[in-house]
Amino acid sequence: MSLPEFKLLRPRSLEEAIAHLAKHPGAIRVIAGGTDLIPSMRQKLFEPAYVLDLRHVAELKGIRERQGSGVEIGALTSLTAIEHSDVLRCRYPVLTEAAATVASPVIRNMGTIGGNICLDTRCLWYNQSLTWRKGCGFCIKKDGDLCHVAPGGTKCWAAFSGDTPPALLCLGAEVEIVGPVGTRRIPLSEFYTGLGDTYRVLQPDELLTRIFLPEGTANYRGVYRKLRIRGSIDYPLAGVAIAMKRSNGHVVDARVALTAVNPAPVLVKGASEALRGQRLDEALAEKVGALAAKTAKPLTTSALTPEYRREMIRVFTKRAVLAAGTN
Ligand SMILES: Cc1cc2nc3c(=O)[nH]c(=O)nc-3n(C[C@H](O)[C@H](O)[C@H](O)COP(=O)(O)OP(=O)(O)OC[C@H]3O[C@@H](n4cnc5c(N)ncnc54)[C@H](O)[C@@H]3O)c2cc1C
Ligand code: SF4
């Protein structure tokens, strides 16, 4: 599958990048590592007139400790750098564990944390070649007006399938967004809309520039569990992250988040309340697993059945809760 024609823009600074975005609204697409965008462009899911390559914007790279106020990560930082960061492994282990499960080492060398957060949602009916989609019929997410997964509905249910966002949600991360009209900083939980088509609040002329990990969740124990078809290289079809602080054998604070089973990564409703102040045991882990299965809304967007993915969310959550109590 060939790439559609486009003009490549290579800014050297953030200011230059924003100026390009402002000049070509709606006709431009940002590329970071390109590990998701390039396959999608080959499938003609995106055919932008301009592609804005961020690779030479040095100010968007790196992991920096901020004295007393957590850690800041540039959006262009590679997943390999996240995976091998001593600071992150010591202070925010759930993030390094999740990053280490993305695809394969080669893809993690190219892929960035910003690209992982901005990752397009996935569906069996969408991530296909143009010929395939023409043959089977277009859908709401691209060029059509119906949904093959939930016929009769008007909503797209494509699943958000990034590995690091659930870890970041558990840590209470915030993201910085920069565009021609200025800079804003929002909790990551507000970055996603919950819709499969317009899945993020980012405007076409905006960039995700930095991720902030708060001091408050530093040193929380962390666990990430992921269901995938090929163990060596694959997107999650269900994923669970947990970050937990304990003292004297009791949970002081904890958050559990899911990926790949909803159109957005989501925090498990009621999990923090169920865990807080409790001593971890099998029954409590079972209870949190049931809450996670209730939050998960998988549909037939992938090769595995929704029932199996929901059940694996329950099982993985239970195991992750127990593992967070022992690691
Ligand atoms: C075989 C294969 C297996 C994969 N397995 C996994 C997996 O297991 N888990 C997983 O999470 N992902 C997986 N991926 C997807 C992808 O490799 C990763 O999600 C990666 O982190 C994407 O980052 P990138 O920098 O390459 O993004 P790109 O492809 O460059 O961009 C992805 C999207 O984000 C936008 N974007 C990127 N950076 C910014 C920014 N700073 N501001 C605004 N928009 C931005 C782009 O416009 C595009 O829409 C896989 C990909 C392949 C090809
Ligand atoms: S969930 Fe429905 S509308 Fe969305 S990509 Fe899949 S088939 Fe298309």
Side-chain angles (χ1 to χ4, degrees), residues 8-28:
L8 188 65
L9 305 170
R10 287 202 155 142
R12 299 261 158 191
S13 68
L14 183 56
E15 201 185 346
E16 212 186 309
I18 299 297
H20 281 309
L21 286 167
K23 204 167 152 195
H24 308 291
I28 191 165

Side-chain angles (χ1 to χ4, degrees), residues 255-266:
R255 269 181 283 251
V256 183
L258 310 179
T259 191
V261 282
N262 297 75
V266 285

Side-chain angles (χ1 to χ4, degrees), residues 29-37 54 75 79 101-103 107 111-112 114-116 118-119 161-163 200 202 206-208 226 233-236:
R29 200 83 208 180
V30 169
I31 190 165
T35 59
D36 188 58
L37 188 71
L54 296 180
L79 292 166
T101 72
V102 174
I107 290 179
T112 64
N116 202 238
C118 294
L119 193 63
S161 308
D163 282 303
R200 55 189 189 185
L202 204 68
E206 288 182 321
L207 284 178
L208 179 77
K226 163 175 177 177
I233 172 173
D234 234 332
Y235 288 89

